């Protein structure tokens, strides 16, 4: 019985670690998406200001 409980506890711990890792990856992906959109905005600003200077 103790061995079964120990195995179940180990499985639960691994599940918790996987869930934590998955959540961390989702948070990183949100940050990457945000930074990518900010870079695109900056590119548009730079390109817009360059085209105004050429006129």
């Amino acid at each position: 019985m103790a061995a079964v409980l120990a195995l179940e506890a180990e499985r639960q711990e691994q599940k918790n670690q996987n869930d934590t890792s998955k959540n961390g990856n989702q948070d990183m992906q949100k940050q990457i998406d945000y930074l990518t959109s900010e870079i695109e905005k900056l590119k548009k600003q730079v390109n817009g200001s360059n085209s105004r200077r050429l006129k």
Side-chain angles (χ1 to χ4, degrees):
M1 184 68 156
V4 171
L5 291 174
L7 286 172
E8 184 58 34
E10 179 66 25
R11 265 194 243 158
Q12 188 62 36
E13 179 63 27
Q14 286 179 351
K15 182 184 180 305
N16 289 343
Q17 287 176 352
N18 287 343
D19 290 348
T20 300
S21 177
K22 184 178 178 183
N23 288 339
N25 288 343
Q26 288 173 342
D27 289 343
M28 282 192 283
Q29 186 60 52
K30 285 180 185 177
Q31 290 175 347
I32 290 169
D33 293 343
Y34 171 76
L35 291 172
T36 300
S37 74
E38 290 298 307
I39 289 170
E40 291 302 318
K41 287 179 192 175
L42 289 170
K43 281 179 167 179
K44 288 178 183 176
Q45 287 178 353
V46 167
N47 288 337
S49 91
N50 282 344
S51 66
R52 281 186 239 137
R53 285 187 198 159
L54 295 174
K55 291 181 181 180

